[in-house]
Amino acid sequence: MAYDYEKSLRPGKLPHIWCPGCGHGIVMKGLIRAMDTCELDLKQTAIVSGIGCASRLPGYIDSCTLHTAHGRAAAFATGVKMAKPEMTVLVVSGDGDCTAIGGNHFIHACRRNIDMTYLIMNNNIYGMTGGQFSPCTPTGALASTTVYGNPDPTFDIAKLAIGAGATFVARGTAFHAAQIDKLIAEGIKHKGMAVIEILDDCPTTYGRRNKFRSVIDMMKRLKDIAVPVAAAAKMTPEQLEGKVLTGVLHKEDRPEYTEQYAKVIQRAQGL
Amino acid sequence: MAKKVALMQGNEACAQGALYAGCNFFAGYPITPSTEVAEVLSIELPKIGGTFIQMEDEIGATAALIGAALTGAKALDSTSGPGMSLKQELLGYACIAEVPCVIVNVQRGGPSTGMPTGPSQSDMQQAMWGTHGDHAAIVLTPASCQEIYEETVRAFNLAEKYRMPVQIQLDEICAHMRERVVFAEPGELEVINREVPTATPEEYKPYDSSKGLVPPLASFGSGYRFHVTGLNKAADGFPTTKAELVDAEERRQIDKVLLNQDDIQKNDEYLLDDAEVVIFAYGSTSRSARYAVNELRKEGVKAGLFRPLTMWPFPEKRVAELAAQAKAIICPEMNLGQMVREVERVAKGNCAVSHIGRVDGEPINPGQIIDKVKEV
C-alpha cells in the first residue's frame, strides 16, 4: 500500500511553491517518512526554517512550525529547544541560508551540540532570489551574480559541521530518495546536533545556466557524484576525484547542551 | 515582615524587575554598558529553573528570545546601541509575528563603537523607527533604580497584554548608578500573563482578530499546532498577499497600540499646573531637570517638569495640551535633537520649543537647564 503522506500534511496548503523538477519535494517526503518512523508527536515537534525555497517546507507539515528570518533558523530553534527541551526540534535550511548569512548560528549550534536535527537542502544556488551564487556554488559555475564564472571556493557543509562540533553528520542526495528518510530518522534519534545535508537540484536557476538541459540531467549528476562511504573506502584518490561521500559521515557521543544546562540548574539549586 | 531592600545598579534592578514579572528566559550577547542585566540573570534564572543563554551574537540572541517566547516563556534580552542595531530586523519579526518579549537597550555614546562607557540618549528615534516596515512600538524610559525595577515589570505586562516586543530605553547613568531599591512583595505589583486560547486546537487561529485586536497566543508544545512566519499573514498564520488581508493585519497591529494609548501611556508630571516653562525630559536628564525646576521655582520662575515613562507611542495628547498652556517647552537630552523633533511636531508652533543637546559623554547638569530657561 502506498505511504500516506497526507496524515502529516496540512489540509489545503498544497500545491507547494517549488518549481517542477525541484528536489525539495523529495526531501520533504523523506522528512515525513522519517518523522513517522521516529513516531514523533506532531504537537510536540517544532520545525524551524529560515528564508528561501527550502524554508517554505514547514508550512506544509502539520506541527508547530516557525518560518523565521534569513539565516537565523538555528538561533530561533535554540530558543525553542532551550525553553522547552522536551520538544523535538527540526530545522530545515538551504545552502545559502545555512552557510552564508546563517553560518555563525550554524557553527555555534554544532559547537553546543544542542539536540536538534538540521536538514540542509543543498542545491548550490540561491533559488528564491533568482539564482545568485551561494557559498556552495561550485567554483567556476554560472549564477546571476557570477556570469563570468564563480571565483569563490565552496564550502563542504559536512566538514564544516564536523569541525564545528556536530555529533552526527550525514549526507544524501535527492536522487537516492530511499536513503533520505533513513538518514533523517537516524539524525532525529541521535541525542545532539545532527546535520544532514541533502544534495539537491535547482533546475530553474542553476540547471538552466549550467548546461543541464533537463531535470533528468541534474538527477544524473547527483547519481554520478554520490559514493557511499563504504564503497569510497575501497577507492583510490583518483577514483574519488569529483565524487561526494554519502551516508553517515560522522557520529560521536558528547554531552548534549540542554542536558548540560539541566546540570547548571541543579548546581544553582544546590540539588 | 520588613520588605527586602537593596542597594543596586539600574541594570541589576532591571534584572530583578524581570524576575518579579515572571521572566524565565534570557538570551543576550555581552555589550557594555548593559552586561550586568545578563550577569544577574545568569545567576538567578537557573535558581528558579529558568534558562539563561549567552548566544553567539546579538541577532542570535533575539532569535532565541522569539523562539523561547513562542513556547510560552517570558523572555528578556539586553543590549546597547550597536547591539540594538543588529537586533532591528528581528524586532520587526517580533512585531509582525506578534511575539511578546522585552528588550533593554542601555544607550551609549556615539554611533558605532562611540563611547562604550559614556552616557547617551541617542537611540530614541532608533527605538521607534529602527526596524523596517510599518509597525507600532512600545518604549519605556525609567529614570531611577526603583523605577527601572517597576517599569521592567510593566514592560513585561505590556508585552504579554499586547502580544508584541516592548523596549526599555535606559541611559548609561541610569544603568550604572546605585540606589536603594525596595523589592515588591508578591501580588503588590500587577503581573499580567499571556492570554491563552479558549479555542480548540482544531479551531485555533493565531491571528484571529474577530474577538479583539490582540488574539490569544498558544504556546508551542501545549497541544496547539500552528504556523508562525515573518511574511504578511492571514488569520490562520499562513502567508498571504491578498491586499485586503494584508492591509487589515498591518492596521490591526498598529491599532492595538494606538487605540490603547490611555492604557499604555504613563507620565510623571511635576509642578505643571501653572507652569509657563515646561521641561520635557526623560532618563537621567530628567533628574537634572527636576533639580532645575526646584531652583527656578525658588527664583519665582513658573517652571515644571513633564517626564514621559512611555516614550513611544509618543504622549501626543498631553504634550499638545502643555504646548497650548505654556510659553515654552525646553527639551534637554543627551543627543543632538531626537525627541525635541516630536515635541516640535506636536506643539505645532503653539509655544516656543528649544533644545539642549549634549554628546560629549557628560550628563546635562541643572545649571545648563536653568540658563536655558532664563534665556527663553
Side-chain angles (χ1 to χ4, degrees), chain A residues 10 13 43-44 56 59 62 64-67 69 72 75-76 79-80 82-84 104-105 108 112 261 265 268-269, chain B residues 46-47 49-52 56-57 59-60 63-64 67 70-71 90 93 220-221 223 225-231 236 238:
Chain A
R10 283 189 163 121
K13 295 302 167 192
K43 295 191 290 295
Q44 291 297 327
R56 290 301 190 93
D62 199 10
C64 303
T65 51
L66 183 53
H67 176 218
R72 316 300 172 198
F76 275 84
V80 172
M82 285 299 281
K84 244 180 198 166
N104 199 30
H105 308 305
H108 287 278
R112 291 188 187 101
Y261 196 77
I265 290 175
Q269 296 182 343
Chain B
K47 289 184 191 168
T51 303
F52 169 91
E56 52 275 7
D57 60 30
I59 303 170
L70 284 168
T71 72
L90 294 187
Y93 185 97
F220 279 180
R225 285 176 281 182
F226 57 101
H227 188 58
V228 179
T229 177
L231 291 164
D236 61 4
F238 289 94

